[in-house]
């Protein structure tokens, strides 16, 4: 195998760096989640699972095991050296050569294209290095900021999954966006 999800790292430009989360990132990651609970809770289901830093340590250790098993990868997004959010390559299916991308950013780092740039780098890694054929992104229909990312990157809407995600006390639909490797190669 020509790649290692555990050691994934990309310096995208002078501002943005991606790197697989490590145990030493737990304190910064917990502080970021704790400082952004209301912002993240609107669209993400995991926020209440992070009650203290040991929960975040456990998440990073479990993510490392999943990366070792070639099932998923969770990378931090660093903005000028400061941890600003997380991007993940999830639900990797080697057999079907497909995976999903998920992401979040602390509120104060929004609006500068960090996640769009991070997605571009991770999608290129997924197609060129992991040799996937298909990358999916799922967004709630009303999550316009999130939907703007796959739309900006040329993903195609393939449909809406009804009540596909449980968010604390209600279901949300998921719009399925997908990109295929030949279309990505042709656009980049
Ligand atoms: C979804 C989320 C990551 C989007 O963050 P974001 O800052 O809007 O996304 P980006 O980092 O790609 O930035 C895009 C913005 O930067 C601007 N921008 C500046 N430079 C840019 C560049 N080089 N490339 C792309 N966009 C750029 C864009 O115009 C856009 O601005 P706008 O919001 O005024 O239209 C963020 O809102 C979030 O974490 N929300 C909560 C969690 C969540 O919903 N996660 C996704 C679940 S599906």
């Amino acid at each position: 195998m020509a790649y290692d999800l555990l050691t994934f790292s990309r310096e995208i430009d002078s501002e943005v760096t991606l790197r697989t989360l490590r145990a030493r990132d737990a304190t910064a990651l917990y502080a970021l989640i704790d400082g952004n609970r209301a912002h993240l809770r609107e669209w993400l289901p995991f926020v209440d699972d992070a009650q203290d830093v040991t929960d975040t340590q456990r998440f990073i250790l479990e993510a490392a095991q999943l990366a070792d098993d070639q099932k998923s990868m969770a990378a931090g997004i660093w903005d000028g050296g400061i941890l600003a959010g997380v991007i993940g390559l999830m639900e990797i299916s080697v057999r079907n050569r497909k995976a999903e991308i998920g992401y979040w950013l602390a509120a104060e780092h929004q609006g500068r294209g960090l996640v769009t740039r991070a997605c571009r780098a991770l999608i290129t890694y997924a197609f060129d290095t992991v040799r996937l054929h298909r990358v999916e992104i799922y967004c709630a229909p009303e999550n316009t900021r999130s939907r703007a990312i796959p739309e900006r990157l040329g993903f195609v809407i393939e449909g809406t999954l009804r009540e596909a995600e449980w968010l604390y006390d209600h279901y949300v639909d998921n719009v399925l966006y997908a990109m295929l490797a030949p279309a990505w190669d042709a656009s980049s």
Side-chain angles (χ1 to χ4, degrees):
M1 191 183 313
Y3 63 91
D4 180 1
L5 298 172
L6 266 177
T7 57
F8 170 80
S9 172
R10 284 289 179 286
E11 203 173 305
I12 296 177
D13 52 38
S14 57
E15 272 183 330
V16 192
T17 302
L18 307 182
R19 172 177 55 69
T20 305
L21 288 164
R22 298 183 193 144
R24 67 169 193 250
D25 302 316
T27 304
L29 182 59
Y30 177 73
L32 201 64
I33 295 168
D34 197 42
N36 282 270
R37 286 188 185 275
H39 162 64
L40 298 175
R41 220 173 172 278
E42 189 179 2
W43 297 118
L44 296 173
F46 67 81
V47 180
D48 291 359
D49 296 342
Q51 289 304 321
D52 59 44
V53 74
T54 57
D55 293 327
T56 309
Q57 279 164 347
R58 189 177 320 113
F59 163 73
I60 291 174
L61 286 178
E62 287 171 1
Q65 184 60 56
L66 288 166
D68 205 29
D69 295 342
Q70 310 302 320
K71 290 189 173 147
S72 65
M73 183 260 284
I77 303 170
W78 278 265
D79 177 10
I82 293 167
L83 186 62
V86 174
I87 187 164
L89 192 64
M90 296 131 24
E91 304 289 340
I92 299 171
S93 167
V94 174
R95 181 184 297 272
N96 296 306
R97 293 172 61 203
K98 68 177 185 177
E100 295 172 20
I101 286 183
Y103 41 70
W104 61 266
L105 211 52
E108 65 271 29
H109 295 273
Q110 294 177 114
R112 291 173 29 236
L114 299 182
V115 169
T116 301
R117 283 181 268 169
C119 277
R120 205 174 273 125
L122 190 57
I123 294 161
T124 298
Y125 173 77
F127 287 142
D128 292 357
T129 305
V130 188
R131 309 301 295 174
L132 299 182
H133 180 66
R134 175 181 166 93
V135 170
E136 301 174 343
I137 295 178
Y138 292 85
C139 307
E142 298 81 12
N143 193 350
T144 49
R145 270 182 177 275
S146 183
R147 293 185 63 172
I149 293 164
E151 286 174 10
R152 209 176 275 126
L153 293 170
F155 279 54
V156 172
I157 294 181
E158 296 189 342
T160 300
L161 284 66
R162 296 173 304 147
E163 302 191 354
E165 189 177 15
W166 176 252
L167 278 182
Y168 307 99
D169 56 5
H170 65 289
Y171 286 106
V172 290
D173 294 350
N174 273 180
V175 180
L176 165 57
Y177 290 89
M179 172 62 71
L180 302 183
W184 187 254
D185 287 346
S187 70
S188 47

